[in-house]
Amino acid sequence: MAVARTRSVALVGVTGRTVEVEADVGNGLAGIHLIGLPDTALSEARDRVRSAVVNSTYPWPDARIIVSLFPASLPKRGSQFDLAIAVAILGAAGVVPAERVAEPFFLGELGLDGRIRPVRGVLPSVLGAAKHGDAMVIVPSANSAEAALVPDVKVVPVATLRQLVEWLRNGDETPEPQVEEGAEPPSTTTDPAVDLADVVGQPVARRALEVCAAGGHNLWMLGPPGTGKTMLAERLPTLLPDLELDHALEVTAIHSVAGVLPPSAPMMNRPPFVSPHHTATAAAIIGGGSTIVRPGAVSLAHRGVLFMDEAPEFPRHVLDALRQPLESGRVTVSRSAGSVTFPARFMLVLAANPCPCAQAEDQGGTCKCSPTVRRRYLGRLSGPLLDRVDMKVTVARASRRELMADRQFAESSATVAERVLVARERAAKRLAGTPWRTNAEIPSSVLHSDFRPSPKAMKPMTSCLDSGTLTARGLDRAVRVSWTLADLADKECPQEEETTAALHFWLGVTS
């Protein structure tokens, strides 16, 4: 009887957990048995592994094979364990030295001909392996660029099972990566095709967009179609600075788990922009799945922008599901197999028409909707949700004269992005030594203890708070916006001018 051990990684959300793979080749009725809570895809690994080994011209043990995945209480899902299972069996059968396969981590799906196919979630898996220190990870060649993003980990790319076995047999030289024909070289640069200068006639909305980008705030735009709401939202990412390294790794890991990471850009260094259709389900927005829990739109928009166009058309329960991630910056999906937590720190941008017919009353509009219909339509955006939106802007149709006059004042994304970067640097300097980097992330307790403006500056807000116009949560939101306005104005602390402007933005008053 011979036993060989190796290691792989199981994903729980975006967290990698080490799995020890043991193979026992001994006496008994020939066959292979998998134990350790495998799912259907993993149970089918028996046939894939056997065909891959035989077609790679290695002998298949004519014996009873037991493969154990430890810890046995952790559900194992997916096909990324194929390579570890095959190597453990070959080690137990004496085809490769058992001592050489004990320490590395093996990730990859096997084809029937022995090719090693790419798998999703390689980056968080390698991050999980890196917790052990001085780790060596064997990955498919197609995933090598993604795996190489993790520092202090030796990544060994392999294309076929035979290439891997010969390397394990013969020496320590890393096998040469094999590039498939027609494969594009990795790229981490992006060239935005849109620019804020394309939007004219909406100076208040453009200013609101700049404030949102500088502080990480949420925005609601209300107005008839054709006024530029979608154009403005699509140009918000062009105002944001590049992601810092730790944030870029977070975003890349989420997109890798979701299987939407572009193969030509293994590192996502730009804030993502996610715009789901209004027919999306709650599971598509929040995350979910019957067997494997996948991140939803709120997690795919982590450190970026979640844009919900025609927001009242979304089901109300879907919109209300946004309230928890907007407050906590993460979302927990609970299923019968357990709970999974995904990060979800995003900027929410809502766009809505004033009524179902979407016809403006001003400038010759023909809206026939009654006040009751309008109220019911916009009532789909609940008060608790709008209470969590920092800024509200009404976008009206502009006349031809206004469009022509405003064109000379429309600034490019690069110009506004410079001011946003300076404001963010001021906020980061003020928040140095804390886990927060933008004004929108400051919790309420710290906001009113360490970053509360002077009583004179707070007077407009406290008056609205006393009259009931402003809620306690709205007060927090408005104070955070006032700090962002002060950063843009190069002031040390918000003055009455900034708090008044922030209050108007929260109330939706444009004048």
Side-chain angles (χ1 to χ4, degrees):
M1 181 173 61
V3 177
R5 298 178 178 85
T6 187
R7 296 189 290 183
S8 188
V9 180
L11 286 177
V12 181
V14 290
T15 303
R17 294 186 59 179
T18 300
V19 172
E20 186 174 291
V21 181
E22 295 179 302
D24 176 13
V25 177
N27 298 326
L29 186 64
I32 178 172
H33 307 274
L34 283 177
I35 58 177
L37 289 183
D39 69 343
T40 302
L42 185 52
S43 297
E44 293 173 349
R46 295 174 293 188
D47 299 321
R48 291 195 300 269
V49 169
R50 187 181 188 281
S51 295
V53 171
V54 172
N55 290 327
S56 298
T57 68
Y58 297 112
W60 182 257
D62 186 16
R64 185 169 184 265
I65 303 172
I66 299 178
V67 177
S68 173
L69 307 175
F70 175 84
S73 59
L74 177 68
K76 322 297 187 307
R77 300 182 176 92
S79 58
Q80 68 269 23
F81 300 98
D82 287 6
L83 192 58
I85 293 172
V87 170
I89 293 174
L90 291 175
V95 178
V96 296
E99 63 275 6
R100 287 212 63 192
V101 303
E103 293 300 323
F105 292 82
F106 294 86
L107 301 170
E109 177 182 335
L110 284 174
L112 299 182
D113 57 355
R115 285 184 297 174
I116 302 177
R117 303 182 185 276
V119 293
R120 62 175 63 187
V122 165
L123 178 59
S125 297
V126 177
L127 287 170
K131 297 177 182 177
H132 296 268
D134 297 328
M136 177 189 295
V137 185
I138 287 80
V139 300
S141 295
N143 294 126
S144 60
E146 180 184 346
L149 298 175
V150 182
D152 302 324
V153 173
K154 183 178 181 181
V155 176
V156 180
V158 288
T160 64
L161 180 60
R162 184 169 186 83
Q163 180 191 16
L164 173 60
V165 170
E166 294 305 313
W167 171 66
L168 292 171
R169 277 176 163 182
N170 298 329
D172 294 328
E173 287 190 12
T174 303
E176 291 293 330
Q178 300 178 9
V179 181
E180 297 182 6
E181 294 184 4
E184 297 181 359
S187 172
T188 59
T189 59
T190 56
D191 184 17
V194 296
D195 195 280
L196 188 60
D198 301 334
V199 184
V200 294
Q202 301 296 347
V204 176
R206 291 201 308 267
R207 173 61 175 173
L209 215 65
E210 179 181 348
V211 176
C212 288
H217 305 292
N218 304 319
L219 175 65
W220 179 38
M221 293 181 288
L222 177 67
T227 54
K229 301 187 298 295
T230 302
M231 290 181 65
L232 286 162
E234 291 174 344
R235 281 146 184 80
L236 179 54
T238 66
L239 309 182
L240 300 175
D242 289 344
L243 296 173
E244 299 180 18
L245 179 58
D246 55 343
H247 290 174
L249 289 175
E250 284 180 355
V251 173
T252 304
I254 294 170
H255 284 71
S256 177
V257 169
V260 296
L261 188 65
S264 59
M267 172 73 90
M268 296 190 62
N269 59 357
R270 291 293 304 160
F273 179 82
V274 181
S275 178
H277 193 261
H278 64 262
T279 57
T281 63
I285 300 297
I286 301 301
S290 56
T291 56
I292 301 178
V293 179
R294 302 292 185 195
V298 296
S299 297
L300 294 176
H302 181 59
R303 302 297 177 184
V305 179
L306 176 64
F307 174 50
M308 306 188 77
D309 201 3
E310 307 293 346
E313 299 294 340
F314 284 83
R316 181 160 183 168
H317 71 278
V318 173
L319 293 171
D320 286 340
L322 298 173
R323 288 152 54 178
Q324 185 245 343
L326 283 174
E327 286 292 331
S328 62
R330 61 183 180 274
V331 60
T332 300
V333 182
S334 298
R335 294 293 183 267
S336 58
S339 298
V340 177
T341 299
F342 294 105
R345 178 73 65 183
F346 57 91
M347 298 167 55
L348 176 64
V349 179
L350 301 171
N353 295 322
C355 62
C357 75
Q359 296 295 326
E361 288 185 332
D362 57 345
Q363 299 183 7
T366 58
C367 177
K368 302 298 183 182
C369 298
S370 66
T372 302
V373 172
R374 288 170 171 262
R375 185 166 57 251
R376 185 182 300 117
Y377 181 73
L378 292 179
R380 299 177 187 177
L381 300 174
S382 66
L385 174 63
L386 293 180
D387 207 27
R388 290 167 168 83
V389 177
D390 309 66
M391 306 174 66
K392 306 171 184 70
V393 176
T394 300
V395 184
R397 288 178 177 171
S399 65
R400 181 178 63 87
R401 181 173 298 177
E402 291 172 337
L403 292 174
M404 297 301 295
D406 187 60
R407 190 173 298 276
Q408 59 181 325
F409 300 105
E411 298 177 303
S412 66
S413 292
T415 301
V416 179
E418 290 180 2
R419 296 199 297 267
V420 169
L421 181 59
V422 172
R424 287 210 170 200
E425 289 175 347
R426 286 181 60 88
K429 183 178 179 181
R430 182 173 61 251
L431 298 173
T434 70
W436 318 298
R437 304 186 190 182
T438 60
N439 294 319
E441 299 176 25
I442 305 175
S444 177
S445 58
V446 179
L447 185 69
H448 292 289
S449 61
D450 298 339
F451 300 104
R452 186 178 178 89
S454 64
K456 180 180 179 182
M458 288 292 294
K459 187 175 181 180
M461 295 186 184
T462 54
S463 299
C464 288
L465 190 65
D466 293 338
S467 65
T469 309
L470 187 66
T471 65
R473 182 185 290 114
L475 175 67
D476 295 345
R477 300 280 176 177
V479 171
R480 294 186 184 105
V481 173
S482 69
W483 274 104
T484 301
L485 291 169
D487 290 334
L488 288 169
D490 197 18
K491 295 182 179 180
E492 293 297 328
C493 186
Q495 306 299 322
E496 189 171 355
E497 179 183 359
E498 283 73 36
T499 56
T500 301
L503 180 62
H504 286 174
F505 271 127
W506 190 87
L507 295 174
V509 179
T510 58
S511 59

